[in-house]
Amino acid sequence: MMELDGLIFVTSNLGKLREAEAVLGCSLRHRALDIDEVQSLDLETVVRHKARSAHGRLGEPVMVEDTSLELAGLAGFPGPLIRWLLATVGPAGISRMAHCFGDPRATVRCVVCACYGEDEVIGDGTVHGMFAESARGQRGFGWDSAFIPDDGDGRTYAEMDESEKNAISHRRRAFEALRNALASRD
C-alpha cells in the first residue's frame, strides 16, 4: 500500500519540511542527504533523478521535491536552476533581473515524487504571479520575499503568515496532488 506515512522526506531545507508538514497535517520522517542533482531545465527529470538516487542510497521509500521558477522575461529561465541564481544574486537580484527584462511575471512550479523503487508517483503544483520591484516581508525562505502570487492580494509570500502562504502555495498544490495520486492507486 502506498501512503505518505512510510516515506522519508529527503531535503536539507527545513523550511520545506515545515511547509510540507503543515500542508499535509502530519509529521514526516526526514533526512538530509547530499544527492547529486542532474542539471536539466526539465523539472520532472530533476525530481525523478533525485528520488531514484535517494531511494538507492537509503533503500527505503522516499519523497523528494524541487521547484522551478520560470521568469517570463527570460523565456522561462532559470527554471529548476533557481537554486544557483538565488545563491548568486538573492531575491533582490532576481527582482531586478525580472524587471530589467521588462516582464516581471513568473510561473512557480513544484514537483514532488514518491519513490518506492521501480514505482514512482508524481504530484505537480503551479502558481502564477510576478516579482516585486524589491524584496518585501520577513517570513518564508528562498525568494519568498520577492514573489507576489496572483491570488495573494498583492503581497509577497514573505508578507503572508505561514497559513496564508500554505493555503495558496505551489508546494501545497504539489503535495495535495501527490496525496490524491497515492490515494487513487490504493
Side-chain angles (χ1 to χ4, degrees):
M1 181 164 129
M2 294 182 175
E3 55 186 41
L4 290 168
D5 293 351
L7 297 169
I8 299 171
F9 186 29
V10 177
T11 183
S12 58
N13 186 323
L14 295 180
K16 289 181 179 185
L17 174 63
R18 283 190 305 274
E19 191 171 333
E21 289 179 334
V23 165
L24 295 170
C26 64
S27 293
L28 295 170
R29 291 192 311 154
H30 159 256
R31 179 92 182 261
L33 194 62
D34 188 23
I35 301 172
D36 289 331
E37 285 188 30
V38 62
Q39 299 302 300
S40 171
L41 292 176
D42 180 49
L43 181 59
E44 193 169 314
T45 297
V46 172
V47 173
R48 286 182 184 274
H49 180 268
K50 283 173 55 174
R52 290 177 192 134
S53 296
H55 183 272
R57 295 257 310 272
L58 297 177
E60 294 185 62
V62 298
M63 176 173 61
V64 301
E65 73 80 54
D66 211 330
T67 299
S68 173
L69 175 64
E70 301 159 9
L71 297 173
L74 293 175
F77 186 79
L81 306 175
I82 183 57
R83 173 180 172 184
W84 308 113
L85 187 60
L86 183 62
T88 305
V89 300
I94 296 170
S95 286
R96 283 191 305 275
M97 191 178 296
H99 285 271
C100 177
F101 284 93
D103 190 347
R105 292 176 301 132
T107 299
V108 180
R109 184 170 166 233
C110 177
V111 171
V112 60
C113 179
C115 179
Y116 298 86
E118 294 296 316
D119 200 7
E120 298 170 353
V121 181
I122 294 286
D124 193 327
T126 301
V127 170
H128 300 281
M130 64 180 286
F131 269 77
E133 288 190 39
S134 60
R136 305 187 320 238
Q138 302 300 313
R139 297 182 184 103
F141 56 93
W143 39 263
D144 285 355
S145 63
F147 181 71
I148 303 169
D150 282 348
D151 50 359
D153 298 328
R155 294 177 294 158
T156 66
Y157 273 162
E159 292 175 304
M160 299 175 189
D161 68 32
E162 183 178 293
S163 64
E164 289 174 313
K165 177 191 174 191
N166 289 346
I168 63 171
S169 80
H170 52 287
R171 197 164 285 109
R172 171 186 207 89
R173 293 174 184 180
F175 278 109
E176 285 179 344
L178 176 68
R179 182 174 41 213
N180 293 340
L182 289 171
S184 72
R185 295 183 95 167
D186 287 338

